[in-house]
Amino acid sequence: MMNKKFKVSLICASILALTACNDDDTVTVDPNPELEAQIAQLTEQNQQLDETNKGLTEENKNLSDSNKELDEKAASFVSTFQQQCANIGVNFEYQNPNPDTPYVNNGVTTQASLVGVFGMPEIPFEHNEGSTCTSCHTDGHDNGMACDTCHSFAEAPSEPEEPVDPSDPGAPGLPTHPADGDWDSYTGASNVGTFYYNADGASFVNAAFLETRMGKQNTFYEWKEAAEGEGAATLKTACGLENRQFITHKYPEDGKPYTLSSYSNFKGASTFTTHRMENGTPIASSATFGPGMSLEDDGEYYIDLFITKNNTCKNLITNGSGEVHYYEYDTRSNVKKGSPDMGPRNAGARIQVSTDLHKSVLKSFDWSTPVYGGNGQSFDPQAVDWNTVGSCDLKLKVQIIYPLG
């Protein structure tokens, strides 16, 4: 029987060829020149492959670094949502959601509550997102009325039949302009030749044009973080959203889902200036609202103001008159009184109004029940018991429109 150690030695010799098993009983096998040459050749080839692979790895790293730099450089040129989408093959152009306003929506305007703008009590922000009257006010307030019964901003813009020049005052003698066509006594400007904004087209002294601005709103869009499972979680999905064309602000690619949310703000601010007497001393009041202006059947322009009982209401009723300063301001225009590209930085008009006591109604605290007026008849302002009045539905007749200055 073959010695066990000898058997193991033969196995070692057959596998390792030139290597012994280092045992006293191992039989030494003669070297195999052919196998030795083959091993040497394979070893050399393996070393060459290692060197080639090392070079390829280094080249691949360099290419990766270059690609990263190119990607970063390309990303630096992407500044709009449209460019983001174009990079993944979805092409569309930006559209201004407010074509009559030259502002470009950048989608980052801070949301602002409309509380105080309407002068209505306890108006939640949801009112700005399409809710109904009853969700803003206590039950029973509207009694079937539509929202635009209370809020002139809800009405569709009233466009004139023919385009009008906002700086064209029309013929002197019209009820909305000075009878003699001279604004000097109204503006009190120190330098008539250079300080009248109307000379630069920056004042809206045309009543028909003002009607399309006062009480109307601009709509904007923004990316708003959505709940998990809602909204667009990827750029590809965002590029297919409805109203995608109305925003330029880049989609936030941070792994969170977003919706394309809209919000609206008034085109301009209407500040009402009135005064009251206290112990023989005149005290000025100033308040900002969002009223509309309209041309009525009698051929006169009126400003509608539906507000809570406050000093502005009391003063307009008691004195029968007041002044409205309508103002639009574009902070991006570097031209004070006009710009061919952006429009004027300062735009608007000053309006003198009188209170029409035949059309105005003082209502109870339910904002519905008439207390004074409402029957087409005038009432005595001095006889009003303000303790019974909760709200004011005022008709203010436009007397004089004159420029900013």
Side-chain angles (χ1 to χ4, degrees), residues 223-359:
W223 295 112
K224 191 172 183 180
E225 189 173 338
E228 193 67 31
E230 299 180 2
T234 65
L235 176 61
K236 183 178 181 179
T237 304
C239 291
L241 290 176
E242 185 179 4
N243 298 322
R244 63 182 184 175
Q245 69 274 22
F246 294 135
I247 188 171
T248 61
H249 189 55
K250 292 169 60 178
Y251 171 78
E253 294 185 89
D254 56 7
K256 300 177 182 178
Y258 288 86
T259 59
L260 191 53
S261 178
S262 66
Y263 61 95
S264 298
N265 289 322
F266 284 105
K267 294 178 183 292
S270 296
T271 301
F272 285 69
T273 302
T274 58
H275 76 276
R276 65 186 187 277
M277 299 296 293
E278 288 189 7
N279 300 322
T281 302
I283 299 178
S285 293
S286 180
T288 301
F289 304 102
M293 190 173 106
S294 60
L295 177 65
E296 301 201 355
D297 293 339
D298 59 2
E300 304 284 354
Y301 281 91
Y302 288 85
I303 290 176
D304 299 312
L305 189 61
F306 191 24
I307 57 176
T308 188
K309 178 185 67 177
N310 54 25
N311 285 330
T312 297
C313 171
K314 291 180 180 180
N315 296 344
L316 286 169
I317 292 295
T318 302
N319 299 326
S321 63
E323 185 160 322
V324 183
H325 187 180
Y326 178 71
Y327 195 77
E328 297 181 14
Y329 186 77
D330 185 357
T331 58
R332 292 168 299 177
S333 176
N334 62 355
V335 180
K336 183 176 182 179
K337 295 181 290 184
S339 166
D341 299 321
M342 297 295 295
R345 188 174 76 216
N346 303 278
R350 288 181 283 183
I351 308 167
Q352 289 187 359
V353 297
S354 62
T355 307
D356 190 327
L357 294 177
H358 290 83
K359 297 182 178 182

Side-chain angles (χ1 to χ4, degrees), residues 178-202:
D180 58 3
D182 187 0
W183 278 305
D184 287 2
S185 60
Y186 297 97
T187 61
S190 58
N191 190 336
V192 176
T194 61
F195 200 64
Y196 278 161
Y197 288 170
N198 194 57
D200 300 277

Side-chain angles (χ1 to χ4, degrees), residues 31-93:
N32 187 331
E34 292 182 2
L35 184 57
E36 183 177 350
Q38 185 178 3
I39 291 173
Q41 183 181 10
L42 291 173
T43 300
E44 183 180 356
Q45 290 176 352
N46 188 57
Q47 290 175 346
Q48 291 175 351
L49 288 173
D50 285 342
E51 289 296 325
T52 302
N53 184 59
K54 182 179 179 181
L56 290 174
T57 301
E58 185 67 26
E59 185 177 350
N60 184 59
K61 182 178 182 301
N62 292 335
L63 288 173
S64 296
D65 291 342
S66 297
N67 286 337
K68 183 178 179 181
E69 291 178 4
L70 289 173
D71 288 341
E72 290 175 351
K73 187 175 182 179
S76 68
F77 289 104
V78 175
S79 59
T80 68
F81 179 49
Q82 287 72 31
Q83 291 171 340
Q84 275 184 303
C85 294
N87 277 350
I88 61 172
V90 182
N91 297 289
F92 59 92
E93 297 294 328

Side-chain angles (χ1 to χ4, degrees), residues 91-105:
N91 297 289
F92 59 92
E93 297 294 328
Y94 169 75
Q95 294 181 25
N96 188 349
N98 311 291
D100 60 340
T101 302
Y103 312 142
V104 175
N105 173 32

